[in-house]
Amino acid sequence: MTTTPEPTELSEPALSVRQVLTLERVLAGEPEVVAGAGQLDRPVRWVHVAEAPDVGVMLTGGEMVLTTGVLLAGDEDKQAEYIRSLHRAEASAVVLGLGRAFPAPPEVMRRAAERCGLPMVVLHRPFPFAELTEEVQCRLVRRKFAAVSLSESVRTALTALITAGAPLQSLLDEVASHSACPVVVTNLAHRVLATAGERSAVDDVLRDWERIARQAGGSEGDGWIRAELGGRGERWGQIMLCGHRGDTATGRLLADRAAEALVLHRMLGGNSAHSWEEQSAQSLLTDLVSGVVPARQLLPRARAAGLPVNRRTFVPLVVRDVEPDQLDRVLRMVGLSGLVAELADGAVAVLLSLARDQDALVLTANFAARVHSEAARTVVAAADPRTAWDDVPTGLREAQHVADAADSSAALDLPAVVRLRDVHLRGLIRLLRDDPHVQSFAERELDGLLCSADDDMLPVLRTYLATGRNKSRTAQLHHVSRPALYRRLEAIQTRLGVDLDDFEQAASVHIALLAHDAQQS
């Protein structure tokens, strides 16, 4: 049964002891920290004025206790017990106003506070505690309201995106706009699935991701805030705010709201963590193929995605007529490292990462053999191995070009791994298909057939030329008699005004036909 994730509790807004001591009204009292200086970042949930020696029984934790010590003067045991009572109640700090009861900081209380790690502050200039209480309570209420408002604002925005069917990236962009820091989603192996935020800041995070990933299980600090992703009793990833500059409570709230939205997005969209890995690989390989982003800038993303990149040999491949899942499975079967992603035209890009001492050609051939055993009628196109990461985009584009050229004719007798040298003239024409001169040449050479109402003429001509002008084979492939084929070839030659028995004229028509087919595809 599908269950929705339970809502997380709203983080309690708080001021730290350090922040309270910087308030203008507090500064007017000339505060001095006499104990527990290393604990000033403790959160202050509330302010409480108390003189009773057993004040601890009235506290619930997180209170800053204000006192003049009037009931403690002259009794050192009560003074020490007062501090211990606050410590047991998990008070955030004690503030003692110096005056008639204690003209100077009491040493017994100071030593007890230091032993307990409880911040103890004395005020050298007395002022009404009510002013400080009012100031802190008002600020806490405002922060509480701001936290509720932010929580609802983020939840509303993310829910609207999910309802509209927005992709994962849109949700992360929204979270990054609220957090003003890089946002990273990883799987349980700490491999990066998606990122959002200012590109340069994200790149800085990913550049050092190996160290960050190793520390990912540690405590939060310095603005690194995590929330677990999971449901149905299992975890499958985490979202991390990297270097959040706001207070920790707000950062944790944002991370929790983002986690809720991502889990809901996955459940409603039928997506899985694995599909997010596919999207990550697709984004990376698409950027590599396009060349819009320099390869050097994409290196941190590749490393963070789990692709080995140091001292490696890269083999760019493009495979047709096969699903990405099948290629992922083949990669695991042959024990190779690599990324798999579907490109815009339906082809699937594969980037193998091999150790320098491995035989790239042999391993590529083994991979291709496995692919063909999974999908017999597929094309595995490869560029030559690259040892420099900067050469990978050119290699991917070359493999894509080879795959396009090889895929355009079923009559080609292709090897298991097709390379640039295997596509010959067809490959050259594919490269030149957008040239206006080539387009004009193709139109001029084939004009008589392109305007024909007989749809069978171009296919017959295509087969005849692809089979090396073998009339018997052409008649067989088109299921017609030889006399019928002769009549069609005569009609084709008449319309084109050429003699297909003449090698040069036949070659010219063949090149024009290849150019026409390349332009159409």
Side-chain angles (χ1 to χ4, degrees):
M1 181 177 68
T2 301
T3 59
T4 56
E6 295 182 1
T8 56
E9 292 294 327
L10 184 65
S11 299
E12 185 73 25
L15 294 167
S16 68
V17 175
R18 191 187 308 277
Q19 288 173 317
V20 172
L21 296 181
T22 61
L23 297 179
E24 186 174 348
R25 291 187 181 181
V26 179
L27 291 174
E30 298 180 9
E32 178 189 359
V33 179
V34 296
Q39 302 294 323
L40 295 183
D41 290 320
R42 283 184 173 184
V44 176
R45 187 181 56 80
W46 207 244
V47 176
H48 188 70
V49 180
E51 301 289 356
D54 58 348
V55 62
V57 299
M58 295 180 273
L59 306 180
T60 59
E63 294 91 350
M64 174 179 276
V65 177
L66 311 180
T67 183
T68 62
V70 65
L71 300 181
L72 304 175
D75 192 330
E76 293 187 349
D77 289 339
K78 284 185 178 180
Q79 294 170 23
E81 178 57 28
Y82 185 84
I83 295 297
R84 289 193 293 267
S85 176
L86 295 180
H87 172 64
R88 288 193 297 270
E90 298 182 350
S92 60
V94 59
V95 177
L96 175 65
L98 300 182
R100 286 185 302 171
F102 290 103
E107 186 63 20
V108 172
M109 294 180 68
R110 190 197 67 77
R111 287 200 305 267
E114 193 67 51
R115 283 195 298 269
C116 293
L118 177 70
M120 180 176 174
V121 181
V122 296
L123 299 175
H124 291 276
R125 185 182 296 275
F127 67 89
F129 283 162
E131 292 184 9
L132 174 58
T133 302
E134 179 184 13
E135 174 79 9
V136 174
Q137 314 303 43
C138 286
R139 286 177 178 267
L140 289 175
V141 169
R142 287 199 298 269
R143 289 164 71 89
K144 177 74 172 179
F145 177 79
V148 172
S149 177
L150 175 63
S151 175
E152 290 308 307
S153 173
V154 173
R155 176 180 278 139
T156 299
L158 295 178
T159 301
L161 289 171
I162 294 172
T163 304
L168 170 66
Q169 189 62 52
S170 296
L171 272 68
L172 296 183
D173 289 340
E174 183 70 22
V175 175
S177 71
H178 285 282
S179 65
C181 69
V183 177
V184 177
V185 175
T186 73
N187 62 13
L188 293 181
H190 305 301
R191 291 188 177 180
V192 175
L193 305 181
T195 62
E198 184 182 348
R199 191 71 261 164
S200 60
V202 171
D203 287 344
D204 287 342
V205 169
L206 296 185
R207 195 170 291 114
D208 200 25
W209 186 252
E210 291 182 5
R211 180 186 62 82
I212 294 171
R214 284 195 297 271
Q215 298 176 352
S219 59
E220 295 176 348
D222 298 326
W224 298 87
I225 300 173
R226 298 180 305 280
E228 301 296 335
L229 301 176
R232 302 174 183 174
E234 66 173 353
R235 291 192 311 115
W236 39 266
Q238 69 176 359
I239 182 170
M240 182 181 291
L241 306 186
C242 305
H244 178 61
R245 294 184 181 276
D247 62 85
T248 302
T250 300
R252 191 171 294 113
L253 180 149
L254 286 170
D256 288 344
R257 293 296 170 263
E260 290 175 7
L262 295 191
V263 172
L264 187 60
H265 179 270
R266 174 186 171 186
M267 292 169 60
L268 294 181
N271 294 324
S272 65
H274 182 63
S275 72
W276 286 2
E277 292 180 359
E278 291 176 353
Q279 292 176 37
S280 174
Q282 183 178 40
S283 173
L284 174 60
L285 291 183
T286 299
D287 285 347
L288 280 170
V289 170
S290 69
V292 174
V293 183
R296 184 57 51 184
Q297 293 183 20
L298 297 173
L299 187 59
R301 285 172 58 187
R303 184 183 290 111
L307 185 74
V309 295
N310 295 331
R311 296 187 58 79
R312 306 290 287 187
T313 297
F314 303 100
V315 181
L317 304 168
V318 171
V319 186
R320 288 197 172 276
D321 302 319
V322 67
E323 294 297 321
D325 284 348
Q326 291 177 282
L327 296 179
D328 267 326
R329 186 165 59 252
V330 170
L331 273 181
R332 291 193 295 272
M333 289 170 60
V334 298
L336 296 179
S337 298
L339 295 178
V340 177
E342 187 170 6
L343 300 178
D345 61 354
V348 181
V350 181
L351 181 60
L352 300 181
S353 175
L354 310 175
R356 289 281 177 88
D357 58 354
Q358 292 179 300
D359 192 321
L361 297 180
V362 171
L363 291 177
T364 303
N366 292 342
F367 174 78
R370 286 280 190 169
V371 172
H372 287 298
S373 68
E374 291 272 325
R377 298 179 59 82
T378 190
V379 172
V380 179
D384 291 333
R386 264 70 174 165
T387 56
W389 174 257
D390 288 344
D391 294 336
V392 168
T394 303
L396 282 169
R397 288 192 289 272
E398 179 183 314
Q400 189 176 32
H401 159 67
V402 172
D404 288 345
D407 189 54
S408 62
S409 174
L412 287 172
D413 184 15
L414 298 174
V417 180
V418 187
R419 302 186 185 276
L420 193 58
R421 61 178 175 270
D422 300 313
V423 293
H424 306 295
L425 177 63
R426 190 179 302 274
L428 176 63
I429 295 300
R430 296 285 300 194
L431 284 176
L432 300 176
R433 63 182 174 180
D434 294 327
D435 189 294
H437 298 292
V438 175
Q439 294 172 355
S440 175
F441 169 75
E443 290 288 325
R444 184 173 63 251
E445 289 290 299
L446 301 175
D447 182 60
L449 291 186
L450 297 178
C451 299
S452 172
D454 189 343
D455 294 336
D456 195 40
M457 285 191 174
L458 270 179
V460 168
L461 175 62
R462 185 179 292 110
T463 304
Y464 179 62
L465 295 173
T467 58
R469 295 182 292 175
N470 187 320
K471 295 178 181 177
S472 298
R473 181 60 177 156
T474 303
Q476 181 183 14
L477 290 173
H478 284 271
H479 307 290
V480 298
S481 64
R482 287 176 63 107
L485 175 67
Y486 294 159
R487 289 193 294 273
R488 292 190 187 184
L489 290 176
E490 285 292 336
I492 290 171
Q493 292 181 100
T494 299
R495 286 186 174 276
L496 295 180
V498 298
D499 178 7
L500 293 178
D501 288 330
D502 181 86
F503 176 78
E504 185 174 340
Q505 294 183 54
S508 181
V509 172
H510 193 190
I511 293 171
L513 186 57
L514 290 176
H516 170 76
D517 289 345
Q519 292 156 16
Q520 294 302 308
S521 65

